[in-house]
Amino acid sequence: MRNFLSLVLCTLSFVTLSLTAAPRRVHTIGDSTMSEYKPAATPKRGWGMYLQAFFNTDSVQVNNRGKSGASTRTFYETANLWPSVKSQMHEGDYLIIQFAHNDEKCKGEDVYVQNAKLRAEGKDTLTDMRGTEPNTTYKEFLRTYIREAREKGVTPILMSPICRAYFKDGKINNEGRHSLYVQRDNVQNTKDKDYVRCMREVAEEMSVPFLDMTARSQELYEQQGKEYCMTHYFNCGDKTHTSAEGGMAIASLAYELIHQSPELTELQAWTVFPSKEQFAAYAKNIEEAGKKAAFAAKGEPFEMQNAKFKIQNLEQVKGGFVPVGGQWPAGEIDEVANRYIEYTITAEKKKGLVIERITLPVKAQGGAGMNIHINYGFGDSFRGVTTIYENTALRKNKKELVTLDQPILVPAGETLHIRILPWYDSNGKPQKGKRLQLGEMKITGKRL
């Protein structure tokens, strides 16, 4: 009997050790400054792509789920985003939360409040539903993420957003620090619409670690100077999205902030600081893995032309696509997740497909500020979202042929959704008379 009990205890000890030895996960949720990118499609790199380099892979796996264009509201309400992350979280994991860039879409106002005012005035309402007000809805969504993470036994961490490279006299200005202002009696009040302050207040209120990435990235950018930042950190055509060097720099700041937090001693124990050579090798692997893959599928060739499409929050005017109401909103810097043209292709129940090439003629009609992403995902929930093409410099009135040689496997019975997501760099003002024109999409590949 004693030997049997000893065996049971030893077995239980082994099981316990095995369970505790399983890698924890650090889940990251946020916007395009954090998200994953395909190196073959764009020079942008989210800092979340490089975070794994700072953790012992035997102890921690980083699950980077940042999404281009997401705000606290749209990330929570989109089926393949927050619900998907929650399904991947387990007790003992960590969750880093970083939002604000897209929450600012209504200049610090909540889009539902804005739409109520517009309806009362008999005006067209906004279709971009990302905007939150920092003192109210932004705070409430942060609280919701925190509560739901804790219900899963996950430790939430609030990390303030990285700065935009909005320099004035060598310093990052208020808007670059996500501190919007309202004008009252000729006095600029910078507290009313300060997203970073509001995130810090939620952290204090709910006893959550707060990592001030805004202040730390501001310090880095001002130390390096505008010229260096725009040449090395932000060479993607805008002042919001970082390049590979910029993304790596922010990831190293994240490591630094984690190590400065007295509340994250367990997480600190699993970190490593790679040498320059190790970090360069890690970054090189990301670049090489993202290059166009060679894929020689065997099967019956097929070609799909005149593909049917549907549109969401867009309308066709004079042979082109514009937002419902005909006006591109001011202040757009990235894709709008619920505004797109979508093509679908479904594999047979018993045979999968390999998409080998996609071609699509595109034209920016009437203006040079048109931008597009081409994303794909699977099923009605649009899961596994991947950006396979980006152009933030479509030439005015010049037809261009988008050619994508990036193989996509469509498993048997699955439906692939291909979305073209346009937005317009309006230079701070709503724009009319600008249209995205699309030609006939052609898809070729093989039936397996």
PDB file of all heavy atoms in Angstrom, residues 7 15 30 107 176 215 305 333:
ATOM      1  N   LEU A   7       3.922   5.687  -5.480  1.00  0.00           N
ATOM      2  CA  LEU A   7       3.843   5.754  -6.943  1.00  0.00           C
ATOM      3  C   LEU A   7       2.846   6.811  -7.390  1.00  0.00           C
ATOM      4  O   LEU A   7       3.110   7.577  -8.324  1.00  0.00           O
ATOM      5  CB  LEU A   7       3.452   4.372  -7.488  1.00  0.00           C
ATOM      6  CG  LEU A   7       3.282   4.274  -9.020  1.00  0.00           C
ATOM      7  CD1 LEU A   7       4.610   4.591  -9.704  1.00  0.00           C
ATOM      8  CD2 LEU A   7       2.805   2.868  -9.414  1.00  0.00           C
ATOM      9  N   VAL A  15       3.009  14.884 -13.214  1.00  0.00           N
ATOM     10  CA  VAL A  15       1.955  15.566 -13.968  1.00  0.00           C
ATOM     11  C   VAL A  15       1.971  17.055 -13.674  1.00  0.00           C
ATOM     12  O   VAL A  15       1.870  17.905 -14.564  1.00  0.00           O
ATOM     13  CB  VAL A  15       0.575  14.958 -13.645  1.00  0.00           C
ATOM     14  CG1 VAL A  15      -0.542  15.817 -14.249  1.00  0.00           C
ATOM     15  CG2 VAL A  15       0.476  13.541 -14.179  1.00  0.00           C
ATOM     16  N   GLY A  30      -4.132  44.997 -30.126  1.00  0.00           N
ATOM     17  CA  GLY A  30      -3.939  46.406 -30.421  1.00  0.00           C
ATOM     18  C   GLY A  30      -4.229  46.684 -31.884  1.00  0.00           C
ATOM     19  O   GLY A  30      -5.008  45.969 -32.525  1.00  0.00           O
ATOM     20  N   LYS A 107     -11.933  62.523 -33.516  1.00  0.00           N
ATOM     21  CA  LYS A 107     -11.249  63.617 -32.815  1.00  0.00           C
ATOM     22  C   LYS A 107     -11.618  63.677 -31.332  1.00  0.00           C
ATOM     23  O   LYS A 107     -11.847  64.737 -30.759  1.00  0.00           O
ATOM     24  CB  LYS A 107     -11.548  64.948 -33.507  1.00  0.00           C
ATOM     25  CG  LYS A 107     -11.083  64.981 -34.962  1.00  0.00           C
ATOM     26  CD  LYS A 107     -11.239  66.360 -35.568  1.00  0.00           C
ATOM     27  CE  LYS A 107     -10.846  66.360 -37.037  1.00  0.00           C
ATOM     28  NZ  LYS A 107      -9.453  65.963 -37.274  1.00  0.00           N
ATOM     29  N   GLY A 176       0.526  63.902 -31.363  1.00  0.00           N
ATOM     30  CA  GLY A 176       1.426  62.758 -31.486  1.00  0.00           C
ATOM     31  C   GLY A 176       1.477  61.917 -30.224  1.00  0.00           C
ATOM     32  O   GLY A 176       1.766  60.726 -30.285  1.00  0.00           O
ATOM     33  N   ALA A 215       5.276  57.754 -23.366  1.00  0.00           N
ATOM     34  CA  ALA A 215       6.379  58.579 -22.857  1.00  0.00           C
ATOM     35  C   ALA A 215       7.718  58.024 -23.297  1.00  0.00           C
ATOM     36  O   ALA A 215       8.622  58.778 -23.670  1.00  0.00           O
ATOM     37  CB  ALA A 215       6.309  58.657 -21.335  1.00  0.00           C
ATOM     38  N   GLN A 305     -12.830  33.801 -63.567  1.00  0.00           N
ATOM     39  CA  GLN A 305     -12.973  35.172 -64.026  1.00  0.00           C
ATOM     40  C   GLN A 305     -14.395  35.651 -63.752  1.00  0.00           C
ATOM     41  O   GLN A 305     -15.291  34.857 -63.453  1.00  0.00           O
ATOM     42  CB  GLN A 305     -12.658  35.269 -65.523  1.00  0.00           C
ATOM     43  CG  GLN A 305     -11.183  35.075 -65.840  1.00  0.00           C
ATOM     44  CD  GLN A 305     -10.899  35.202 -67.324  1.00  0.00           C
ATOM     45  OE1 GLN A 305     -11.267  34.347 -68.110  1.00  0.00           O
ATOM     46  NE2 GLN A 305     -10.241  36.285 -67.697  1.00  0.00           N
ATOM     47  N   ILE A 333      -6.055  56.825 -41.556  1.00  0.00           N
ATOM     48  CA  ILE A 333      -4.644  56.462 -41.715  1.00  0.00           C
ATOM     49  C   ILE A 333      -4.462  54.988 -42.000  1.00  0.00           C
ATOM     50  O   ILE A 333      -3.346  54.524 -42.227  1.00  0.00           O
ATOM     51  CB  ILE A 333      -3.819  56.823 -40.462  1.00  0.00           C
ATOM     52  CG1 ILE A 333      -4.349  56.064 -39.235  1.00  0.00           C
ATOM     53  CG2 ILE A 333      -3.810  58.327 -40.222  1.00  0.00           C
ATOM     54  CD1 ILE A 333      -3.461  56.139 -38.024  1.00  0.00           C
TER      55      ILE A 333
END
